[in-house]
Amino acid sequence: MSNMYLLAYSRRSTKPDQPLSIIWRGQVNESVYEEARVKRIFNCQRPTRYPQAIIFAKTESDIINAVNLAIDQKYSISIRAGGHSWPVWSLRDDTILMDLGCLSDISLDEETGVVRVSPSTTGKELSDYLHAKGRTFPVGHCPDVGLGGYLLCGGMGWNSNNWGWACEYVVAVDVVTSTGEIVHADVEQNNDLFWATRGSGPGFPGIVTRFHLQSRLLPKIMKSSLYIYTMKHYQPVFDWALKIPSGIDEGLEIAVIGSYPPEFNEPCITVALLALGDSDESVIKVLRRADESHPDGAVTRSFCGNTSFNEQFRHKAKVYPEKHRYCADNSFLHNDVDVPSILEKAFSTLPTRKSLVLYNSLIPTSRRDLPPMALSVQSDHYFALYGIWEDAKDDVHNQAWVSNIMEEVGRHSTGAYIGEFDFLKRQSRLWGFQEKEKLKAIRQKWDPNGVFCSYLGLELGL
Ligand SMILES: Cc1cc2nc3c(=O)[nH]c(=O)nc-3n(C[C@H](O)[C@H](O)[C@H](O)COP(=O)(O)OP(=O)(O)OC[C@H]3O[C@@H](n4cnc5c(N)ncnc54)[C@H](O)[C@@H]3O)c2cc1C
Protein backbone atom coordinates (compact mmCIF):
# COMPACT_ATOMS: atom_id res chain seq x y z
CA MET A 1 0.00 0.00 0.00
CA SER A 2 3.04 2.28 -0.09
CA ASN A 3 1.84 4.14 -3.17
CA MET A 4 -1.59 4.84 -1.73
CA TYR A 5 -2.60 7.90 0.14
CA LEU A 6 -3.24 7.02 3.75
CA LEU A 7 -5.54 9.21 5.75
CA ALA A 8 -6.34 8.97 9.42
CA TYR A 9 -10.01 9.60 9.69
CA SER A 10 -11.63 9.39 13.07
CA ARG A 11 -14.96 11.20 13.43
CA ARG A 12 -17.42 8.76 15.08
CA SER A 13 -14.88 6.03 14.32
CA THR A 14 -14.88 2.80 16.33
CA LYS A 15 -11.09 2.63 15.95
CA PRO A 16 -10.02 6.29 15.91
CA ASP A 17 -6.42 5.84 14.84
CA GLN A 18 -6.94 3.26 12.15
CA PRO A 19 -5.80 4.80 8.85
CA LEU A 20 -7.97 4.27 5.78
CA SER A 21 -6.37 3.14 2.51
CA ILE A 22 -7.55 5.73 0.01
CA ILE A 23 -6.57 6.49 -3.54
CA TRP A 24 -7.66 9.99 -4.56
CA ARG A 25 -8.07 10.73 -8.23
CA GLY A 26 -5.43 13.22 -9.42
CA GLN A 27 -3.24 12.69 -6.35
CA VAL A 28 -1.53 9.48 -7.42
CA ASN A 29 0.09 8.23 -10.58
CA GLU A 30 -2.65 7.68 -13.19
CA SER A 31 -1.85 3.99 -13.61
CA VAL A 32 -2.21 3.42 -9.84
CA TYR A 33 -5.61 5.10 -9.91
CA GLU A 34 -6.67 3.16 -13.03
CA GLU A 35 -5.59 -0.17 -11.55
CA ALA A 36 -7.71 0.53 -8.46
CA ARG A 37 -10.62 1.82 -10.57
CA VAL A 38 -10.98 -1.42 -12.54
CA LYS A 39 -9.75 -3.92 -9.94
CA ARG A 40 -11.63 -7.26 -10.21
CA ILE A 41 -14.01 -5.91 -12.86
CA PHE A 42 -14.94 -8.88 -15.03
CA ASN A 43 -16.37 -7.12 -18.09
CA CYS A 44 -13.55 -5.65 -20.22
CA GLN A 45 -16.02 -3.25 -21.82
CA ARG A 46 -15.34 -0.74 -19.06
CA PRO A 47 -17.40 2.39 -18.60
CA THR A 48 -15.77 5.82 -18.68
CA ARG A 49 -17.04 6.69 -15.20
CA TYR A 50 -14.52 7.94 -12.67
CA PRO A 51 -14.86 7.89 -8.86
CA GLN A 52 -13.16 10.70 -6.97
CA ALA A 53 -11.61 8.26 -4.52
CA ILE A 54 -11.32 4.51 -3.98
CA ILE A 55 -11.20 3.09 -0.48
CA PHE A 56 -10.06 -0.46 0.24
CA ALA A 57 -11.89 -1.52 3.38
CA LYS A 58 -10.27 -4.25 5.43
CA THR A 59 -12.56 -4.13 8.45
CA GLU A 60 -16.06 -3.07 9.42
CA SER A 61 -14.48 -0.05 11.13
CA ASP A 62 -12.92 0.99 7.83
CA ILE A 63 -16.37 0.94 6.25
CA ILE A 64 -17.86 3.04 9.05
CA ASN A 65 -14.97 5.51 8.79
CA ALA A 66 -15.37 5.70 5.03
CA VAL A 67 -19.10 6.38 5.30
CA ASN A 68 -18.37 9.19 7.76
CA LEU A 69 -15.71 10.60 5.44
CA ALA A 70 -18.16 10.54 2.51
CA ILE A 71 -20.84 12.29 4.59
CA ASP A 72 -18.41 15.00 5.69
CA GLN A 73 -17.02 15.58 2.22
CA LYS A 74 -20.45 15.30 0.56
CA TYR A 75 -19.67 12.40 -1.74
CA SER A 76 -22.04 9.52 -2.52
CA ILE A 77 -20.72 6.02 -2.07
CA SER A 78 -20.63 3.28 -4.71
CA ILE A 79 -19.78 -0.29 -3.75
CA ARG A 80 -17.76 -3.14 -5.26
CA ALA A 81 -17.86 -6.67 -3.90
CA GLY A 82 -16.96 -9.25 -6.58
CA GLY A 83 -16.84 -6.82 -9.53
CA HIS A 84 -19.05 -9.05 -11.71
CA SER A 85 -22.05 -6.83 -12.46
CA TRP A 86 -22.23 -6.79 -16.27
CA PRO A 87 -22.88 -3.00 -16.49
CA VAL A 88 -20.16 -2.35 -13.83
CA TRP A 89 -22.46 -0.69 -11.30
CA SER A 90 -19.56 0.04 -8.94
CA LEU A 91 -18.17 2.70 -11.27
CA ARG A 92 -19.86 6.10 -10.86
CA ASP A 93 -18.58 9.57 -11.55
CA ASP A 94 -17.38 11.71 -8.62
CA THR A 95 -18.19 9.22 -5.88
CA ILE A 96 -16.20 7.43 -3.25
CA LEU A 97 -15.92 3.83 -4.39
CA MET A 98 -15.88 1.40 -1.48
CA ASP A 99 -13.96 -1.68 -2.54
CA LEU A 100 -14.78 -4.61 -0.24
CA GLY A 101 -12.23 -6.99 -1.79
CA CYS A 102 -9.92 -6.98 1.24
CA LEU A 103 -12.70 -7.72 3.75
CA SER A 104 -12.48 -11.47 4.01
CA ASP A 105 -14.25 -13.66 6.49
CA ILE A 106 -16.04 -17.05 6.46
CA SER A 107 -17.18 -19.15 9.40
CA LEU A 108 -19.73 -21.92 9.83
CA ASP A 109 -21.90 -22.72 12.81
CA GLU A 110 -21.79 -26.50 12.48
CA GLU A 111 -24.90 -26.96 14.61
CA THR A 112 -27.26 -24.73 12.61
CA GLY A 113 -25.48 -24.88 9.25
CA VAL A 114 -25.51 -21.07 9.13
CA VAL A 115 -22.41 -19.71 7.40
CA ARG A 116 -21.28 -16.09 7.97
CA VAL A 117 -19.55 -14.69 4.96
CA SER A 118 -18.14 -11.37 3.76
CA PRO A 119 -19.58 -9.95 0.50
CA SER A 120 -16.55 -10.14 -1.80
CA THR A 121 -16.24 -13.88 -1.15
CA THR A 122 -16.74 -15.64 -4.46
CA GLY A 123 -19.15 -18.49 -5.13
CA LYS A 124 -16.27 -20.91 -5.54
CA GLU A 125 -14.59 -19.81 -2.31
CA LEU A 126 -17.82 -20.38 -0.39
CA SER A 127 -18.41 -23.72 -2.13
CA ASP A 128 -14.86 -24.97 -1.43
CA TYR A 129 -15.23 -24.00 2.22
CA LEU A 130 -18.64 -25.66 2.64
CA HIS A 131 -17.93 -28.77 0.56
CA ALA A 132 -15.01 -29.62 2.83
CA LYS A 133 -17.58 -29.74 5.64
CA GLY A 134 -20.17 -31.77 3.71
CA ARG A 135 -22.40 -28.76 3.06
CA THR A 136 -23.21 -26.54 0.09
CA PHE A 137 -24.94 -23.32 -0.99
CA PRO A 138 -26.71 -22.39 -4.26
CA VAL A 139 -23.95 -20.07 -5.50
CA GLY A 140 -23.90 -18.64 -9.04
CA HIS A 141 -22.80 -20.78 -11.96
CA CYS A 142 -19.50 -19.00 -12.59
CA PRO A 143 -16.83 -19.44 -9.95
CA ASP A 144 -15.76 -15.83 -9.37
CA VAL A 145 -19.09 -14.00 -9.02
CA GLY A 146 -19.12 -12.08 -5.71
CA LEU A 147 -21.78 -12.99 -3.16
CA GLY A 148 -22.51 -9.31 -2.45
CA GLY A 149 -24.15 -8.35 -5.73
CA TYR A 150 -25.35 -11.89 -6.42
CA LEU A 151 -27.39 -12.22 -3.21
CA LEU A 152 -28.73 -8.66 -3.31
CA CYS A 153 -30.02 -9.27 -6.85
CA GLY A 154 -31.66 -12.56 -5.82
CA GLY A 155 -29.15 -15.14 -6.97
CA MET A 156 -30.07 -17.71 -9.60
CA GLY A 157 -27.61 -20.43 -8.62
CA TRP A 158 -26.98 -24.10 -9.24
CA ASN A 159 -30.23 -26.08 -9.31
CA SER A 160 -32.24 -22.93 -8.60
CA ASN A 161 -35.30 -24.43 -10.29
CA ASN A 162 -35.40 -26.86 -7.35
CA TRP A 163 -33.45 -25.15 -4.58
CA GLY A 164 -35.04 -21.73 -5.10
CA TRP A 165 -33.44 -18.30 -5.14
CA ALA A 166 -30.17 -17.97 -3.27
CA CYS A 167 -31.47 -14.93 -1.39
CA GLU A 168 -34.10 -17.17 0.22
CA TYR A 169 -31.19 -18.66 2.20
CA VAL A 170 -30.15 -15.29 3.67
CA VAL A 171 -31.21 -15.48 7.32
CA ALA A 172 -29.64 -12.20 8.48
CA VAL A 173 -27.25 -9.43 7.42
CA ASP A 174 -24.97 -6.96 9.18
CA VAL A 175 -25.21 -3.56 7.53
CA VAL A 176 -23.41 -0.22 7.80
CA THR A 177 -26.14 2.38 7.38
CA SER A 178 -26.15 5.84 5.84
CA THR A 179 -25.47 7.32 9.29
CA GLY A 180 -22.36 5.19 9.74
CA GLU A 181 -23.90 2.82 12.26
CA ILE A 182 -23.76 -0.94 12.15
CA VAL A 183 -27.07 -2.77 12.44
CA HIS A 184 -28.16 -6.39 12.36
CA ALA A 185 -31.21 -7.17 10.22
CA ASP A 186 -33.26 -10.35 10.20
CA VAL A 187 -36.87 -11.39 10.31
CA GLU A 188 -37.29 -9.84 13.77
CA GLN A 189 -34.96 -6.83 13.93
CA ASN A 190 -34.91 -4.22 11.18
CA ASN A 191 -37.20 -6.46 9.19
CA ASP A 192 -37.68 -3.91 6.39
CA LEU A 193 -33.94 -3.73 5.71
CA PHE A 194 -33.78 -7.54 5.78
CA TRP A 195 -36.65 -7.67 3.27
CA ALA A 196 -34.73 -5.32 0.95
CA THR A 197 -31.55 -7.41 1.20
CA ARG A 198 -33.32 -10.17 -0.65
CA GLY A 199 -33.81 -8.73 -4.13
CA SER A 200 -33.33 -4.95 -4.08
CA GLY A 201 -30.19 -5.30 -6.21
CA PRO A 202 -27.75 -2.42 -6.65
CA GLY A 203 -29.92 0.15 -4.86
CA PHE A 204 -29.73 -1.40 -1.41
CA PRO A 205 -29.66 1.49 1.10
CA GLY A 206 -26.60 0.39 3.08
CA ILE A 207 -23.40 -1.62 2.91
CA VAL A 208 -23.74 -5.27 3.82
CA THR A 209 -20.62 -6.29 5.70
CA ARG A 210 -21.66 -9.86 6.43
CA PHE A 211 -24.31 -12.27 5.15
CA HIS A 212 -25.61 -15.04 7.42
CA LEU A 213 -26.64 -17.86 5.09
CA GLN A 214 -28.40 -21.15 5.69
CA SER A 215 -26.28 -23.80 3.98
CA ARG A 216 -27.62 -27.16 2.72
CA LEU A 217 -26.29 -30.70 2.97
CA LEU A 218 -24.03 -31.47 -0.01
CA PRO A 219 -25.79 -33.99 -2.29
CA LYS A 220 -23.84 -37.25 -2.40
CA ILE A 221 -24.29 -37.86 -6.12
CA MET A 222 -23.97 -35.48 -9.06
CA LYS A 223 -24.23 -36.65 -12.68
CA SER A 224 -24.76 -34.92 -15.98
CA SER A 225 -25.95 -35.65 -19.51
CA LEU A 226 -25.22 -33.52 -22.55
CA TYR A 227 -26.88 -33.54 -25.99
CA ILE A 228 -25.58 -31.37 -28.85
CA TYR A 229 -27.52 -30.93 -32.10
CA THR A 230 -27.07 -28.76 -35.17
CA MET A 231 -29.68 -26.04 -35.58
CA LYS A 232 -31.76 -28.01 -38.09
CA HIS A 233 -33.00 -29.99 -35.06
CA TYR A 234 -33.85 -26.82 -33.11
CA GLN A 235 -37.63 -27.32 -32.85
CA PRO A 236 -37.83 -31.00 -31.76
CA VAL A 237 -34.91 -30.55 -29.38
CA PHE A 238 -36.44 -27.51 -27.68
CA ASP A 239 -39.85 -29.25 -27.53
CA TRP A 240 -38.21 -32.22 -25.84
CA ALA A 241 -36.32 -30.03 -23.36
CA LEU A 242 -39.53 -28.24 -22.38
CA LYS A 243 -41.24 -31.54 -21.60
CA ILE A 244 -38.44 -32.89 -19.40
CA PRO A 245 -39.45 -31.02 -16.22
CA SER A 246 -42.88 -32.57 -15.87
CA GLY A 247 -43.01 -35.47 -13.47
CA ILE A 248 -39.31 -35.62 -12.89
CA ASP A 249 -37.33 -35.86 -9.67
CA GLU A 250 -36.46 -32.84 -7.51
CA GLY A 251 -32.82 -32.42 -8.38
CA LEU A 252 -32.65 -31.88 -12.13
CA GLU A 253 -31.34 -28.63 -13.62
CA ILE A 254 -32.21 -28.16 -17.29
CA ALA A 255 -30.37 -25.72 -19.54
CA VAL A 256 -30.84 -25.22 -23.27
CA ILE A 257 -27.86 -23.41 -24.76
CA GLY A 258 -27.25 -21.81 -28.12
CA SER A 259 -23.53 -21.58 -28.86
CA TYR A 260 -20.65 -22.66 -31.06
CA PRO A 261 -19.36 -25.67 -29.11
CA PRO A 262 -15.57 -26.22 -29.45
CA GLU A 263 -14.71 -27.77 -32.82
CA PHE A 264 -18.06 -26.85 -34.42
CA ASN A 265 -18.19 -24.32 -37.23
CA GLU A 266 -21.88 -23.68 -36.90
CA PRO A 267 -24.12 -22.66 -34.01
CA CYS A 268 -25.65 -25.62 -32.19
CA ILE A 269 -28.40 -26.23 -29.67
CA THR A 270 -27.24 -28.09 -26.56
CA VAL A 271 -29.35 -29.55 -23.78
CA ALA A 272 -27.39 -29.89 -20.52
CA LEU A 273 -28.92 -31.86 -17.66
CA LEU A 274 -27.45 -31.85 -14.18
CA ALA A 275 -28.94 -34.29 -11.68
CA LEU A 276 -28.27 -34.12 -7.94
CA GLY A 277 -29.34 -36.63 -5.34
CA ASP A 278 -28.36 -38.94 -2.54
CA SER A 279 -28.37 -42.28 -4.33
CA ASP A 280 -26.92 -43.44 -7.65
CA GLU A 281 -30.19 -45.15 -8.39
CA SER A 282 -32.41 -42.05 -8.13
CA VAL A 283 -30.03 -39.85 -10.14
CA ILE A 284 -29.57 -42.43 -12.92
CA LYS A 285 -33.34 -42.97 -13.05
CA VAL A 286 -33.99 -39.27 -13.63
CA LEU A 287 -31.39 -38.97 -16.39
CA ARG A 288 -32.48 -42.23 -18.04
CA ARG A 289 -36.08 -41.04 -18.18
CA ALA A 290 -34.99 -37.90 -20.03
CA ASP A 291 -32.62 -39.87 -22.26
CA GLU A 292 -35.29 -42.31 -23.39
CA SER A 293 -37.21 -39.54 -25.15
CA HIS A 294 -34.31 -37.53 -26.63
CA PRO A 295 -34.72 -36.79 -30.35
CA ASP A 296 -32.59 -38.58 -32.94
CA GLY A 297 -29.78 -36.75 -34.67
CA ALA A 298 -27.54 -35.68 -31.75
CA VAL A 299 -23.97 -35.02 -32.89
CA THR A 300 -22.85 -35.54 -29.33
CA ARG A 301 -24.62 -37.55 -26.64
CA SER A 302 -22.94 -37.98 -23.29
CA PHE A 303 -25.18 -39.87 -20.87
CA CYS A 304 -25.01 -39.83 -17.10
CA GLY A 305 -21.34 -39.00 -16.49
CA ASN A 306 -20.04 -38.38 -13.00
CA THR A 307 -19.42 -34.71 -12.34
CA SER A 308 -18.74 -32.29 -9.48
CA PHE A 309 -19.31 -28.61 -8.73
CA ASN A 310 -15.62 -28.00 -9.40
CA GLU A 311 -15.85 -29.55 -12.86
CA GLN A 312 -18.98 -27.51 -13.57
CA PHE A 313 -17.21 -24.31 -12.41
CA ARG A 314 -14.24 -25.09 -14.71
CA HIS A 315 -16.61 -25.53 -17.62
CA LYS A 316 -18.43 -22.24 -16.89
CA ALA A 317 -15.13 -20.38 -16.57
CA LYS A 318 -14.32 -21.47 -20.14
CA VAL A 319 -17.74 -20.54 -21.48
CA TYR A 320 -17.58 -17.05 -19.88
CA PRO A 321 -13.87 -16.30 -20.46
CA GLU A 322 -11.99 -13.57 -18.63
CA LYS A 323 -10.44 -10.63 -20.52
CA HIS A 324 -13.43 -10.33 -22.86
CA ARG A 325 -16.04 -7.71 -23.57
CA TYR A 326 -19.62 -8.55 -22.63
CA CYS A 327 -23.15 -7.32 -23.18
CA ALA A 328 -25.89 -9.25 -21.32
CA ASP A 329 -29.65 -9.07 -20.97
CA ASN A 330 -32.49 -11.37 -19.93
CA SER A 331 -36.23 -11.95 -19.66
CA PHE A 332 -38.75 -14.03 -17.78
CA LEU A 333 -41.10 -15.18 -20.56
CA HIS A 334 -44.81 -15.54 -19.87
CA ASN A 335 -45.62 -19.11 -18.85
CA ASP A 336 -47.95 -19.82 -21.77
CA VAL A 337 -45.89 -18.57 -24.73
CA ASP A 338 -44.38 -20.59 -27.57
CA VAL A 339 -40.83 -20.49 -26.21
CA PRO A 340 -38.98 -22.13 -29.15
CA SER A 341 -40.51 -19.73 -31.70
CA ILE A 342 -39.75 -16.65 -29.63
CA LEU A 343 -36.15 -17.65 -29.04
CA GLU A 344 -35.28 -19.09 -32.46
CA LYS A 345 -33.78 -15.88 -33.80
CA ALA A 346 -31.57 -15.51 -30.73
CA PHE A 347 -30.33 -19.09 -31.03
CA SER A 348 -29.58 -18.84 -34.74
CA THR A 349 -27.96 -15.39 -35.03
CA LEU A 350 -25.09 -15.41 -32.51
CA PRO A 351 -22.89 -12.41 -33.33
CA THR A 352 -19.57 -14.11 -32.51
CA ARG A 353 -18.28 -17.65 -31.96
CA LYS A 354 -17.99 -16.97 -28.24
CA SER A 355 -21.44 -15.46 -27.70
CA LEU A 356 -24.20 -17.59 -26.26
CA VAL A 357 -27.85 -17.74 -25.34
CA LEU A 358 -29.31 -19.63 -22.41
CA TYR A 359 -32.74 -20.95 -21.52
CA ASN A 360 -33.48 -22.36 -18.06
CA SER A 361 -36.70 -23.94 -16.92
CA LEU A 362 -37.46 -22.55 -13.45
CA ILE A 363 -40.16 -25.12 -12.63
CA PRO A 364 -40.98 -25.89 -9.80
CA THR A 365 -39.42 -22.81 -8.11
CA SER A 366 -41.52 -20.56 -10.39
CA ARG A 367 -44.73 -22.31 -9.26
CA ARG A 368 -44.14 -21.64 -5.54
CA ASP A 369 -45.28 -18.52 -3.73
CA LEU A 370 -42.19 -16.49 -2.88
CA PRO A 371 -41.51 -15.65 0.76
CA PRO A 372 -41.77 -11.97 1.79
CA MET A 373 -38.82 -10.31 0.04
CA ALA A 374 -38.07 -7.65 -2.55
CA LEU A 375 -37.48 -10.22 -5.30
CA SER A 376 -40.96 -10.63 -6.74
CA VAL A 377 -40.77 -11.30 -10.48
CA GLN A 378 -40.19 -14.76 -11.96
CA SER A 379 -41.75 -17.18 -14.43
CA ASP A 380 -41.36 -20.75 -15.71
CA HIS A 381 -39.03 -19.64 -18.51
CA TYR A 382 -35.77 -17.74 -17.98
CA PHE A 383 -33.89 -16.54 -21.03
CA ALA A 384 -30.53 -14.75 -21.03
CA LEU A 385 -28.17 -13.78 -23.84
CA TYR A 386 -24.54 -12.78 -23.82
CA GLY A 387 -22.64 -11.03 -26.59
CA ILE A 388 -18.99 -11.97 -25.97
CA TRP A 389 -16.13 -10.50 -27.99
CA GLU A 390 -12.59 -9.18 -27.68
CA ASP A 391 -12.11 -6.13 -29.83
CA ALA A 392 -13.58 -2.68 -29.09
CA LYS A 393 -14.31 -2.26 -32.80
CA ASP A 394 -17.01 -4.96 -32.42
CA ASP A 395 -18.81 -3.19 -29.54
CA VAL A 396 -21.60 -1.72 -31.66
CA HIS A 397 -22.29 -4.96 -33.54
CA ASN A 398 -22.63 -7.03 -30.35
CA GLN A 399 -24.64 -4.45 -28.46
CA ALA A 400 -27.01 -4.10 -31.40
CA TRP A 401 -27.56 -7.86 -31.48
CA VAL A 402 -28.54 -7.92 -27.80
CA SER A 403 -30.84 -4.88 -28.18
CA ASN A 404 -32.54 -6.22 -31.32
CA ILE A 405 -33.20 -9.63 -29.83
CA MET A 406 -34.53 -8.12 -26.60
CA GLU A 407 -36.79 -5.72 -28.41
CA GLU A 408 -38.71 -8.71 -29.77
CA VAL A 409 -38.33 -11.13 -26.86
CA GLY A 410 -39.23 -8.41 -24.35
CA ARG A 411 -42.77 -8.27 -25.80
CA HIS A 412 -43.43 -11.78 -24.49
CA SER A 413 -41.97 -11.25 -21.06
CA THR A 414 -43.37 -10.64 -17.60
CA GLY A 415 -40.20 -8.90 -16.45
CA ALA A 416 -36.48 -9.34 -16.00
CA TYR A 417 -33.91 -10.51 -13.45
CA ILE A 418 -31.95 -7.56 -12.01
CA GLY A 419 -28.70 -9.54 -11.77
CA GLU A 420 -28.29 -9.71 -15.57
CA PHE A 421 -30.00 -6.45 -16.44
CA ASP A 422 -28.75 -2.99 -17.40
CA PHE A 423 -31.17 -0.19 -16.38
CA LEU A 424 -29.42 2.14 -18.83
CA LYS A 425 -30.28 -0.02 -21.84
CA ARG A 426 -34.04 -0.60 -21.59
CA GLN A 427 -36.98 -0.77 -19.21
CA SER A 428 -38.61 -3.87 -17.81
CA ARG A 429 -40.62 -4.97 -14.79
CA LEU A 430 -38.07 -5.78 -12.07
CA TRP A 431 -40.32 -6.01 -9.00
CA GLY A 432 -44.06 -6.42 -8.42
CA PHE A 433 -45.96 -3.13 -8.04
CA GLN A 434 -46.35 -3.38 -4.25
CA GLU A 435 -42.78 -4.53 -3.76
CA LYS A 436 -41.48 -1.60 -5.80
CA GLU A 437 -43.46 0.87 -3.68
CA LYS A 438 -42.24 -0.79 -0.48
CA LEU A 439 -38.66 -0.68 -1.72
CA LYS A 440 -38.94 3.06 -2.44
CA ALA A 441 -40.18 3.68 1.11
CA ILE A 442 -37.40 1.56 2.64
CA ARG A 443 -34.75 3.38 0.64
CA GLN A 444 -36.21 6.72 1.70
CA LYS A 445 -36.23 5.66 5.36
CA TRP A 446 -32.72 4.19 5.52
CA ASP A 447 -30.92 6.59 3.21
CA PRO A 448 -32.93 9.85 3.12
CA ASN A 449 -29.97 11.92 1.92
CA GLY A 450 -28.77 9.59 -0.81
CA VAL A 451 -25.44 8.70 0.80
CA PHE A 452 -25.39 5.50 -1.26
CA CYS A 453 -25.58 5.59 -5.05
CA SER A 454 -28.98 4.70 -6.40
CA TYR A 455 -29.76 2.46 -9.38
CA LEU A 456 -27.75 3.50 -12.42
CA GLY A 457 -30.36 4.49 -14.98
CA LEU A 458 -33.46 3.88 -12.88
CA GLU A 459 -35.35 6.42 -10.78
CA LEU A 460 -36.49 4.76 -7.57
CA GLY A 461 -37.33 7.25 -4.92
CA LEU A 462 -34.05 9.11 -4.53
C1 LIG B 1 -19.42 -14.36 -15.55
C2 LIG B 1 -20.69 -14.03 -14.80
C3 LIG B 1 -21.54 -15.06 -14.43
C4 LIG B 1 -22.72 -14.79 -13.72
N1 LIG B 1 -23.51 -15.85 -13.33
C5 LIG B 1 -24.62 -15.61 -12.60
C6 LIG B 1 -25.44 -16.69 -12.13
O1 LIG B 1 -25.17 -17.86 -12.37
N2 LIG B 1 -26.54 -16.37 -11.41
C7 LIG B 1 -26.87 -15.08 -11.10
O2 LIG B 1 -27.86 -14.87 -10.41
N3 LIG B 1 -26.11 -14.05 -11.52
C8 LIG B 1 -25.00 -14.28 -12.26
N4 LIG B 1 -24.23 -13.22 -12.69
C9 LIG B 1 -24.67 -11.86 -12.38
C10 LIG B 1 -24.17 -11.43 -11.01
O3 LIG B 1 -24.74 -12.21 -9.99
C11 LIG B 1 -24.56 -9.97 -10.72
O4 LIG B 1 -24.10 -9.15 -11.73
C12 LIG B 1 -24.01 -9.48 -9.39
O5 LIG B 1 -24.40 -8.15 -9.20
C13 LIG B 1 -22.50 -9.57 -9.29
O6 LIG B 1 -22.11 -9.34 -7.97
P1 LIG B 1 -20.64 -8.81 -7.61
O7 LIG B 1 -20.59 -8.56 -6.16
O8 LIG B 1 -19.63 -9.74 -8.21
O9 LIG B 1 -20.59 -7.46 -8.46
P2 LIG B 1 -20.23 -5.96 -8.07
O10 LIG B 1 -20.12 -5.29 -9.40
O11 LIG B 1 -19.08 -5.89 -7.17
O12 LIG B 1 -21.51 -5.45 -7.30
C14 LIG B 1 -22.65 -5.04 -7.99
C15 LIG B 1 -23.41 -4.04 -7.15
O13 LIG B 1 -24.09 -4.72 -6.08
C16 LIG B 1 -24.16 -3.87 -4.95
N5 LIG B 1 -23.41 -4.48 -3.84
C17 LIG B 1 -22.49 -5.46 -3.91
N6 LIG B 1 -22.05 -5.78 -2.68
C18 LIG B 1 -22.71 -4.98 -1.82
C19 LIG B 1 -22.70 -4.84 -0.40
N7 LIG B 1 -21.91 -5.59 0.35
N8 LIG B 1 -23.52 -3.93 0.16
C20 LIG B 1 -24.33 -3.15 -0.59
N9 LIG B 1 -24.37 -3.23 -1.94
C21 LIG B 1 -23.58 -4.14 -2.55
C22 LIG B 1 -23.52 -2.54 -5.34
O14 LIG B 1 -24.52 -1.70 -5.84
C23 LIG B 1 -22.57 -2.99 -6.44
O15 LIG B 1 -22.20 -1.93 -7.30
C24 LIG B 1 -23.06 -13.45 -13.40
C25 LIG B 1 -22.20 -12.42 -13.78
C26 LIG B 1 -21.03 -12.71 -14.47
C27 LIG B 1 -20.11 -11.59 -14.89
Side-chain angles (χ1 to χ4, degrees), residues 79 81-86 100 119 141-142 146 149-150 152 156 202 206 208 417 419:
I79 300 154
H84 272 54
S85 53
W86 300 107
L100 304 175
H141 294 83
C142 291
Y150 171 74
L152 288 168
M156 199 183 290
V208 179
Y417 170 51

Side-chain angles (χ1 to χ4, degrees), residues 39-43 63 77-92 97-100 103 118-122 138-158 160 165-166 174-176 200-211 316-317 319-322 326 328 358 360 382 386 417-421 452-455:
K39 204 175 173 90
R40 294 197 317 293
I41 290 179
F42 180 77
N43 189 350
I63 297 177
I77 296 172
S78 61
I79 300 154
R80 180 174 302 154
H84 272 54
S85 53
W86 300 107
V88 196
W89 288 317
S90 58
L91 284 184
R92 307 296 184 92
L97 164 58
M98 182 85 71
D99 188 316
L100 304 175
L103 186 74
S118 50
S120 63
T121 306
T122 66
V139 298
H141 294 83
C142 291
D144 296 331
V145 174
L147 288 170
Y150 171 74
L151 290 169
L152 288 168
C153 287
M156 199 183 290
W158 289 107
S160 58
W165 291 89
D174 300 323
V175 176
V176 173
S200 63
F204 180 74
I207 302 177
V208 179
T209 59
R210 192 174 293 109
F211 291 93
K316 290 290 177 184
V319 173
Y320 298 87
E322 288 181 344
Y326 284 83
L358 171 69
N360 278 124
Y382 180 69
Y386 311 88
Y417 170 51
I418 301 169
E420 308 215 88
F421 194 74
F452 301 109
C453 287
S454 182
Y455 299 91

Side-chain angles (χ1 to χ4, degrees), residues 158-179:
W158 289 107
N159 201 28
S160 58
N161 58 313
N162 297 294
W163 286 352
W165 291 89
C167 67
E168 294 180 61
Y169 295 75
V170 178
V171 292
V173 279
D174 300 323
V175 176
V176 173
T177 67
S178 65
T179 51

Side-chain angles (χ1 to χ4, degrees), residues 225-229 240 269-271 273 291 294 300-301 303:
S225 294
L226 193 77
Y227 304 83
I228 304 178
Y229 296 82
W240 166 61
I269 175 167
T270 298
V271 176
L273 306 177
D291 186 67
H294 82 273
T300 298
R301 169 184 170 266
F303 172 65

